[in-house]
Amino acid sequence: MSNYICHDFKTPRTDTSRRLPDTFKAIPVLFYLSLVGAAYFMTMDWLAYKHAQKEKGEAEVRKTAVEEAKKKLDEEKAALDLETARAEALAKWIEGARNIQPISVAIARAMPLEVRLSDLTIERSEQVPSNLALSVRINGGSVSEIGMMETGLSRLQYRSFSPQQSKDGEIIEYRSTLVRQDP
C-alpha cells in the first residue's frame, strides 16, 4: 500500500459545467435596483393614496354642501308648487264664480207683482264651483212661476239639475242645482 494516510477520493471530472458568464454579475445589481424601484413605486402609490383620500374628503364635503343646497331648493320648489296649486284652485274657483246678480235679477223679473219671494239662497259647491245650489221660497204663487223662473235662468245659460219642489199652503219651496251650459 501507499504511504499516504488520507486518500483523495475525488476523481477529476470532465463533465462539469463552466463558470457563469460575467454578465450574470449584473443580477444582484438588478435585484437591488428592483428593490429600490419597488420602494420608489410603493412610496409614490402611498402618496397618491393619501392625496386621493384627501380629495375624497373634500369631495364628500362638497357633496354634502350640494345635497344641502339641493334639499333647500327642493323645499323651495315644494313651497312654490303648493302655492301654484293653491293659485290654480283659486283661479278655478274664481272662474267658476259667475256673476250671481244676473241670476237674482232673472228670478225676480220672472215673478209677477202679486207673488213675493220670501227666501232666495244661492250657494256655490266647494267641489264643483261652477254649480250653484238654488233654494227659493215663493209666497202666494203657483207652479207656473217656477216655470217662468226656469225660463229666465235658461236665457242665462243655466239649467236646473234635479229640481225639487214642495208646496205647503201658499208657500212653494223650490230647490235645484244650477249647471252652467257653456255654448
Side-chain angles (χ1 to χ4, degrees), residues 37-106:
Y40 171 76
F41 285 119
M42 285 175 56
T43 304
M44 294 307 289
D45 285 344
W46 183 76
L47 290 173
Y49 175 72
K50 289 296 183 183
H51 184 68
Q53 279 185 332
K54 181 182 173 186
E55 286 182 353
K56 181 181 176 186
E58 291 172 356
E60 287 177 355
V61 169
R62 284 192 310 264
K63 179 183 174 186
T64 304
V66 167
E67 285 177 351
E68 288 174 2
K70 182 180 182 275
K71 183 179 177 183
K72 182 180 175 184
L73 290 175
D74 286 343
E75 289 173 357
E76 288 178 14
K77 183 182 181 292
L80 288 175
D81 288 344
L82 179 64
E83 189 174 335
T84 301
R86 287 181 181 167
E88 287 175 356
L90 180 64
K92 187 176 179 182
W93 178 261
I94 290 172
E95 180 183 327
R98 307 266 188 235
N99 195 355
I100 297 179
Q101 183 180 4
I103 295 172
S104 303
V105 170

Side-chain angles (χ1 to χ4, degrees), residues 102-159:
I103 295 172
S104 303
V105 170
I107 293 171
R109 286 186 180 165
M111 298 298 146
L113 294 175
E114 62 273 357
V115 176
R116 287 186 348 170
L117 289 173
S118 61
D119 188 21
L120 172 64
T121 306
I122 301 174
E123 296 177 355
R124 285 187 14 189
S125 169
E126 287 187 26
Q127 290 79 18
V128 185
S130 60
N131 292 351
L132 301 171
L134 174 68
S135 176
V136 178
R137 278 191 177 170
I138 302 171
N139 201 1
S142 64
V143 180
S144 63
E145 280 82 17
I146 291 176
M148 290 188 300
M149 181 177 63
E150 286 181 346
T151 305
L153 291 174
S154 66
R155 288 185 192 134
L156 296 174
Q157 298 180 351
Y158 281 99
R159 69 176 175 89

Side-chain angles (χ1 to χ4, degrees), residues 155-171:
R155 288 185 192 134
L156 296 174
Q157 298 180 351
Y158 281 99
R159 69 176 175 89
S160 293
F161 180 73
S162 69
Q164 300 171 356
Q165 57 185 335
S166 62
K167 188 169 184 177
D168 184 24
E170 290 189 14
I171 297 175

Side-chain angles (χ1 to χ4, degrees), residues 16-32:
T16 61
S17 63
R18 295 178 305 147
R19 291 182 68 195
L20 292 174
D22 289 336
T23 55
F24 281 13
K25 291 179 184 176
I27 290 177
V29 173
L30 291 174
F31 174 73
Y32 290 115

